[in-house]
Amino acid sequence: MQTELEKTINADGGGNEVKLHGKIKLGVDKSGSFTVGKLCVKGIITVTRPGVVIDGSDAEIEVDINDCTTSDWSLFFIHPAARNVRFRNLSVKVRINNPVHSARIFAVIYNTSYGLSIEGCRIEAISDKQLNMAGVYNNGNLDTHLDTRADNAVIANNTLKIECMPDIFDKECAVYGIYNYLANSISVQNNFIYAVNKGDGGRQKAAGVYTNGRFGRFTGNNIKANCTHNKGFEIEHAHAFGFINDGLYSLIECNNIVGEWAGMSVGLENSGEYALIEGNKILATHTMRGRSIRNYASKCAIRGNVITSTSRNARLIELAASDCVISGNVMEVLMAQSECRSGCGIYAAGENCARNIISENMIRYVADCGIFADKSAGEIINNSIVSYGETVAQAGTDNKYLLDKLDERHIRSRTETGVLT
């Protein structure tokens, strides 16, 4: 069946639009290996025809994979020659039943070509063994501010649900809704993205979106990373990252971003300079160690966001960078004070913090300190701290008690009765 479908998609003549019909069930064989640089990716269906529109409005695709441990695999592999391919209204469900755990990668759509468009699709994939997974893997393969082969991808109005649910955890394992590798100028809009990884520590993680390409635009998405520990009592679980940005000049606006149910939950982790992070709702929840925003990149602006956490050791913003503006954010710890071991609104301590502007933020109900920063961190003015009687509005590393209280090395798991273990 996959051979016939592949021929239909790539056939010349009859116009550029291919409409799929009915329920399409696919299995995996051992054919279809493509070398891309030093990477070998096997595509169940390989798209080689430029400009083709694949419309699944009247179809459902179900895929059962019994073994994808011998190589990196994808359901749809977009060849570098297939520029401006468009997927529209696909409904895809992939079930992976590998015989063993694997360090390989499976992506539902693996793109290596310019101008890919994925619109209005519903994509689901689940594995019962450890496996690196991605809903969409967009591989630019070249670290440059000029063109890459996978530039200008548009991913809009889709539902992506990617889950890895093993019972044994003996390998590093990462699950991504969208993984953008060095491709520039991508646009990700109005998607629901849900990545799940059931794991037992930091070697396993789930991330809704990862990007290290330049000039990316991420607007209006509902993004959630989940690691299945719904009580949030133990640090010995996988780490959840709603969004990881390592790319330069990223615009991250008007999204709902959540890291939840994990040993460590991070809403947004940013290491890309010149990022604009504005108008988002960002949450780190159900965890002992919650970081709503972690920013390691200089020359960024974090403005006008709603930033919350239900962590028992919350840091709403953790800043380890210089020349940043953090202003106009509404920030609150939603966990009851009696449940918190520690809590801080903005943590900006360390030698890398300098020349920042931290102003006009509303910080509510943090257990220990509103803003923990030395004078060398920059200008800190007109912030409002509304918390508890014992909460210190602002302090620095000369306050040895708070320095020790907020030290992450003291974070421990706890039992349901509240006893630290």
Side-chain angles (χ1 to χ4, degrees):
M1 174 65 80
Q2 58 260 39
T3 302
E4 295 175 5
L5 184 56
E6 185 173 285
K7 287 180 179 179
T8 300
I9 291 171
N10 295 312
D12 292 329
N16 288 335
E17 185 172 301
V18 175
K19 291 190 175 182
L20 307 180
H21 299 281
K23 182 166 285 189
I24 301 170
K25 293 189 175 183
L26 303 177
V28 174
D29 58 31
K30 301 297 183 181
S31 64
S33 180
F34 296 87
T35 300
V36 183
K38 295 181 179 180
L39 180 65
C40 182
V41 180
K42 288 190 175 182
I44 297 172
I45 298 168
T46 300
V47 181
T48 58
R49 178 184 173 191
V52 67
V53 178
I54 302 167
D55 189 312
S57 302
D58 189 36
E60 295 181 7
I61 300 175
E62 294 185 2
V63 185
D64 288 300
I65 299 174
N66 294 319
D67 190 349
C68 60
T69 62
T70 59
S71 179
D72 294 334
W73 282 82
S74 62
L75 173 57
F76 291 99
F77 178 87
I78 318 304
H79 191 276
R83 294 166 65 92
N84 301 312
V85 168
R86 182 178 179 186
F87 290 94
R88 186 172 65 196
N89 300 330
L90 288 182
S91 178
V92 179
K93 293 183 179 180
V94 180
R95 293 179 292 268
I96 301 171
N97 302 296
N98 282 331
V100 295
H101 301 294
S102 176
R104 294 292 190 175
I105 299 170
F106 178 85
V108 180
I109 297 176
Y110 191 104
N111 180 56
T112 64
S113 190
Y114 184 90
L116 173 69
S117 177
I118 304 170
E119 301 174 46
C121 298
R122 182 176 181 85
I123 295 171
E124 299 181 18
I126 187 167
S127 174
D128 64 355
K129 297 289 192 304
Q130 278 195 276
L131 180 68
N132 296 301
M133 302 175 69
V136 178
Y137 194 122
N138 193 53
N139 189 350
N141 200 47
L142 185 63
D143 187 5
T144 175
H145 65 281
L146 301 176
D147 289 345
T148 83
R149 66 189 185 192
D151 280 3
N152 284 14
V154 175
I155 304 170
N157 303 308
N158 305 287
T159 295
L160 303 174
K161 186 177 181 182
I162 312 299
E163 300 178 81
C164 184
M165 302 293 287
D167 293 323
I168 299 173
F169 317 100
D170 59 358
K171 297 182 181 297
E172 290 189 24
C173 178
V175 176
Y176 302 94
I178 295 173
Y179 190 96
N180 181 62
Y181 183 68
L182 297 178
N184 301 325
S185 302
I186 74 165
S187 178
V188 179
Q189 307 170 29
N190 303 325
N191 301 283
F192 176 77
I193 301 167
Y194 185 52
V196 181
N197 194 353
K198 181 183 177 183
D200 65 353
R203 296 175 72 232
Q204 293 92 38
K205 69 180 179 183
V209 174
Y210 173 84
T211 181
N212 63 353
R214 293 169 168 84
F215 320 118
R217 304 179 305 283
F218 305 86
T219 305
N221 301 286
N222 195 336
I223 303 168
K224 185 177 289 189
N226 179 296
C227 292
T228 75
H229 178 48
N230 61 357
K231 294 180 180 178
F233 284 155
E234 300 172 2
I235 61 174
E236 297 84 10
H237 283 268
H239 292 182
F241 298 82
F243 194 118
I244 302 174
N245 176 55
D246 289 338
L248 296 174
Y249 307 103
S250 294
L251 303 179
I252 303 169
E253 301 176 296
C254 302
N255 303 283
N256 182 45
I257 304 173
V258 180
E260 67 176 7
W261 297 17
M264 180 176 71
S265 294
V266 178
L268 169 64
E269 181 164 293
N270 179 59
S271 298
E273 291 187 343
Y274 306 103
L276 175 61
I277 301 163
E278 186 170 27
N280 303 282
K281 164 65 170 64
I282 301 174
L283 170 64
T285 184
H286 289 70
T287 184
M288 289 296 292
R289 185 183 176 193
R291 306 294 176 258
S292 300
I293 296 178
R294 300 169 79 179
N295 182 48
Y296 302 117
S298 298
K299 293 161 283 191
C300 296
I302 302 172
R303 305 188 306 218
N305 301 282
V306 174
I307 301 167
T308 59
S309 178
T310 64
S311 171
R312 292 172 171 82
N313 296 273
R315 292 183 186 177
L316 296 173
I317 294 180
E318 183 178 287
L319 179 65
S322 60
D323 303 294
C324 293
V325 176
I326 299 175
S327 66
N329 300 288
V330 176
M331 307 164 61
E332 184 169 353
V333 174
L334 304 175
M335 179 67 74
Q337 184 187 21
S338 60
E339 290 289 319
C340 294
R341 187 206 171 276
S342 68
C344 182
I346 298 174
Y347 188 94
E351 61 184 10
N352 293 326
C353 281
R355 302 179 303 279
N356 298 291
I357 299 173
I358 300 173
S359 67
E360 311 292 338
N361 298 288
M362 171 65 73
I363 301 172
R364 295 168 54 86
Y365 300 114
V366 292
D368 296 309
C369 185
I371 299 175
F372 190 79
D374 293 327
K375 292 181 179 180
S376 58
E379 187 175 5
I380 302 174
I381 57 171
N382 297 334
N383 299 284
S384 179
I385 315 298
V386 180
S387 289
Y388 307 104
E390 58 270 35
T391 302
V392 177
Q394 186 174 333
T397 54
D398 56 343
N399 187 321
K400 301 304 180 184
Y401 170 76
L402 282 178
L403 182 64
D404 183 68
K405 185 80 184 303
L406 298 173
D407 192 329
E408 288 190 317
R409 291 174 296 181
H410 298 322
I411 298 175
R412 299 288 185 271
S413 297
R414 55 167 286 180
T415 67
E416 294 187 39
T417 60
V419 178
L420 295 174
T421 60

